[in-house]
């Protein structure tokens, strides 16, 4: 059965076709979700939410605007970002003990891999104050560039330029 035939059956609310769709895409979507959340149970929950959204919103898919996989991938990505920004997710992360992170240091002994685990913020503190604030918003707090623009009350284009310059400066610091 082709994807087009499968979609036709799903539009008719055929549950067997939807099961086939799940079998076809669930592993790929789970991989994307898990890479963002890094938590098995939460990733499974989000995956389930994603397929419910796909089922309920299938009528909003427009073939002329892009591929079906891109559409469901965006649903998965947005649902995962919503989960990352949720209060319950943030509160559960605050309560993790340091034992959960020991494997990061034991797994790979190269200096490069330890930078992320033990002190990327130390390197960021060497940047200009405007870079520190921007990187904090974009990378540690998960703001979009548009949201950072609004928070800092500067134009979006300025945020994009400063982001590029700050990352370039950070790379220079890390290479030393």
């Amino acid at each position: 059965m082709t994807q087009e035939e499968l979609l036709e059956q799903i539009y008719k609310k055929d549950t067997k076709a939807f099961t086939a769709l799940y079998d076809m895409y669930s592993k790929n979507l789970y991989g994307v979700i898990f890479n963002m959340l890094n938590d098995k149970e939460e990733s499974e929950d989000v995956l389930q939410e994603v397929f419910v959204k796909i089922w309920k919103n299938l009528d909003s898919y427009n073939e002329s605007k892009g591929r079906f996989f891109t559409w469901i991938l965006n649903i998965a990505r947005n649902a995962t970002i919503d989960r990352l920004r949720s209060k319950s997710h943030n509160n559960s992360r605050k309560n993790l003990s340091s034992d959960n992170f020991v494997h990061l240091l034991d797994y790979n002994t190269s200096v490069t891999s330890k930078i992320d685990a033990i002190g990327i913020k130390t390197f960021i503190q060497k940047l200009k104050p405007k870079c520190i604030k921007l990187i904090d918003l974009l990378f540690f707090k998960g703001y979009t560039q548009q949201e950072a623009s609004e928070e800092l009350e500067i134009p979006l284009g300025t945020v994009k330029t400063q982001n590029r310059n700050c990352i370039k400066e950070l790379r220079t610091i890390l290479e030393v």
Side-chain angles (χ1 to χ4, degrees), residues 125-143:
Q125 295 304 319
K126 295 178 182 178
L127 297 172
K128 298 173 191 160
K130 68 179 182 181
C131 287
I132 294 170
K133 181 68 175 165
L134 186 61
I135 289 175
D136 182 57
L137 291 175
L138 294 174
F139 296 97
F140 294 109
K141 292 184 178 169
Y143 280 45

Side-chain angles (χ1 to χ4, degrees), residues 98-110:
S98 60
D99 295 340
N100 292 320
F101 301 101
V102 171
H103 72 282
L104 290 174
L105 298 177
D106 292 339
Y107 180 71
N108 191 339
T109 58
S110 78

Side-chain angles (χ1 to χ4, degrees), residues 12-25:
K12 297 175 184 174
K13 300 296 182 186
D14 181 343
T15 56
K16 289 181 183 177
F18 192 74
T19 301
L21 181 78
Y22 181 88
D23 292 341
M24 188 181 294
Y25 293 115

Side-chain angles (χ1 to χ4, degrees), residues 53-81:
K53 286 179 182 181
I54 291 168
W55 180 257
K56 288 182 177 179
N57 299 315
L58 194 63
D59 294 335
S60 70
Y61 168 64
N62 185 343
E63 199 173 302
S64 66
K65 290 186 178 181
R67 293 181 14 197
F68 181 72
F69 181 72
T70 304
W71 183 72
I72 64 173
L73 189 61
N74 282 329
I75 292 173
R77 183 181 165 279
N78 292 338
T80 306
I81 289 170

